[in-house]
């Protein structure tokens, strides 16, 4: 399991620098790839109320990941996300 900061990224309060998380790094790299071959992002693990809240703008019509740094990373038409979870207890 990873924390919300490890998944999305965070602002280092001492330096005011943005540090990418796993998902923000992956989405930025995939959205900047010039080809339009299908791209799949698989998130495997229990849903966490804190990080799934940040997924709302990705899963709605906006298809945009909005980070704490105010950067917006698009989920392009050829990109897909899959959530593999054990159960829907916390969904």
């Amino acid at each position: 399991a990873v924390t919300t900061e490890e998944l999305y990224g965070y602002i280092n309060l001492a330096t005011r620098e943005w540090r990418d998380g796993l998902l923000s790094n992956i989405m930025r790299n995939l959205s900047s790839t010039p080809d339009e071959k299908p791209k799949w992002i698989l998130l495997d693990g229990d849903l966490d109320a804190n990080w799934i809240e940040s997924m709302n703008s990705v899963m709605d019509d906006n298809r945009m990941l909005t980070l704490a740094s105010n950067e917006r990373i698009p989920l392009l038409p050829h990109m897909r996300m899959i959530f593999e979870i054990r159960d829907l207890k916390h969904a």
Side-chain angles (χ1 to χ4, degrees):
V2 297
T3 66
T4 302
E5 289 81 18
E6 291 170 330
L7 188 64
Y8 295 113
Y10 64 95
I11 296 173
N12 182 322
L13 296 178
T15 64
R16 307 296 297 160
E17 292 178 340
W18 174 255
R19 301 283 184 187
D20 264 337
L22 294 168
L23 184 60
S24 56
N25 187 33
I26 289 168
M27 281 191 64
R28 185 180 298 105
N29 289 339
L30 291 179
S31 67
S32 65
T33 302
D35 68 64
E36 292 189 9
K37 295 178 182 172
K39 309 286 187 284
W40 294 89
I41 301 170
L42 175 64
L43 298 171
D44 180 17
D46 292 332
L47 292 177
D48 179 279
N50 291 327
W51 68 257
I52 202 64
E53 179 69 28
S54 298
M55 282 290 182
N56 283 339
S57 64
V58 177
M59 295 185 289
D60 67 13
D61 291 340
N62 293 323
R63 295 178 54 96
M64 195 75 63
L65 176 65
T66 304
L67 303 172
S69 65
N70 291 324
E71 180 183 5
R72 295 169 46 105
I73 303 172
L75 185 71
L76 299 174
H78 61 277
M79 295 168 60
R80 300 285 187 263
M81 296 185 88
I82 296 177
F83 299 88
E84 184 178 337
I85 58 173
R86 178 177 41 194
D87 58 52
L88 295 174
K89 186 166 93 175
H90 300 290

